[in-house]
Amino acid sequence: MLIVTIDAGTTNTRVRLWRDKKIVAASSNAVGVRDIAVTGDRGTLMSAIKSMLESLFRQIGGVNRERYAIVASGMITAELGLHAVPHLTAPVSFADLAAGAVAHILPEIAPQPIWFIPGVKNAVASIDVNNIDAMDMMRGEEVETFGLLAQHHICGPVLVALPGTHSKFVLVDKEQRILSCVTTMAGELLDVLTHQTILKNSLDGEFTHELDREYLLKGAASCRRLGISRSCFAVRLLDRFTPASHCQKASYLLGAAFYSDLQALKHSAALNLTGDIAIAIGGKSVLQQALATLIADDPFFSGSMLLAEDRPERPFSGSGAVAVMEQILMRSASSAPLCSGISPSGTSR
């Protein structure tokens, strides 16, 4: 059977078609839950997903009569998404995640149910300003975490680091359960600073594609001494008064932003980390390398570290969602067929 995964975030949506745990067709669109928040209309996202789904079956041509199942994860399950599913409260195992998935039919997209995977939230009672740091939540990173653990045969306890627009740090125990997570806005901060502030000219409006280790560590040291705001402005000073290259300036900024993430890891009540925790780092290569370099340089951390490669043909988020769908299918093996197929024009047959 074919499995369709819908990975819908705040600004982008990816739809992939899988057979035997491998992607056979893929489509993406720069539309997400933010579009619903702005317009109040879910139609744009539903139309985009339907169009991408039709594109998948056009790509595989003659085998499009096979049965298929659909599973969705990410912000699509939030209140502003297409079908709201409450967060599960940690600790959450892979089996808990699969059992918590909810089926819902959206005829604007497909005639059969879409299985919506819930997000995960930290277990904190009576939340107020005094304990807000202990609280956090995620949608999408839970399947990414389980996908990473499975592909790299990692057993907990481990901290899974997923640097990105909103970086997630997910604590997994020895029973392979998600215990808690911490979110930072380091990636979004870097994006805004690089493209929408006075630093745009200093950085030519571009991220670094390779690291300068010396400048990365200098940026982190500056953030440790002076705070992130002053460290960010130092990038402009480097541009005006030194011959620093683009790579060096951008690495300095990355070091400052990611050092603030390390501070969160060491001090957040949501994780309560000990320095000997093993760490598995996902994400894009340059972000992996930057985070790994800063962790290795920080005397607090003494545990093992793995850079977990996320292969394009089998991304963690998709493979985790596929595994959830397979669990659901095994549980409901005696139920009626999910669907007979879809034609390239999008009509059922």
Side-chain angles (χ1 to χ4, degrees), residues 140-167:
E141 290 85 5
E142 65 291 324
V143 290
E144 190 173 358
T145 294
F146 285 122
L148 184 154
L149 295 176
Q151 284 193 38
H152 288 273
H153 309 289
I154 297 172
C155 295
V158 62
L159 179 72
V160 176
L162 302 170
T165 302
H166 288 165
S167 294

Side-chain angles (χ1 to χ4, degrees), residues 215-226:
Y215 276 72
L216 179 81
L217 293 175
K218 292 289 187 183
S222 174
C223 185
R224 182 176 63 250
R225 294 193 315 272
L226 306 173

Side-chain angles (χ1 to χ4, degrees), residues 310-325:
D310 193 2
R311 299 189 298 273
E313 69 276 10
R314 199 181 173 196
F316 299 141
S317 57
S319 62
V322 166
V324 168
M325 191 69 245

Side-chain angles (χ1 to χ4, degrees), residues 15 47 52 63 65 68 75 127 138 141 151 157 165 180 182 200 204 210 214 224 230 237 241 248 276 303 306 335:
V15 181
S47 177
M52 285 186 278
V63 295
R65 292 179 181 271
Y68 68 100
M75 289 300 291
I127 304 168
M138 56 183 158
E141 290 85 5
Q151 284 193 38
T165 302
S180 62
V182 156
K200 179 179 180 179
D204 301 322
E210 58 180 317
E214 178 187 1
R224 182 176 63 250
R230 172 61 177 170
L237 300 177
F241 300 109
Q248 290 171 329
D276 60 351
L306 168 72
S335 64

Side-chain angles (χ1 to χ4, degrees), residues 2-3 16-26 56 59-60 63 66 313:
L2 298 171
I3 293 177
R16 302 179 176 105
L17 189 62
W18 299 69
R19 183 193 292 112
D20 299 328
K21 303 183 188 301
K22 295 180 181 179
I23 296 173
V24 295
L56 299 187
Q59 291 176 47
I60 62 171
V63 295
E66 298 180 42
E313 69 276 10

Side-chain angles (χ1 to χ4, degrees), residues 13 21 26 29 56 89 91 100 102 112 126 135 139 146 149 167 202 207 210 227 230 235 242 247 272 274 309:
T13 298
K21 303 183 188 301
N29 196 315
L56 299 187
T89 301
V102 175
Q112 81 268 40
S126 303
M135 190 59 192
R139 289 190 185 273
F146 285 122
L149 295 176
S167 294
S202 299
F207 297 110
E210 58 180 317
R230 172 61 177 170
V235 174
T242 79
C247 174
N272 292 311
T274 57
E309 181 186 2

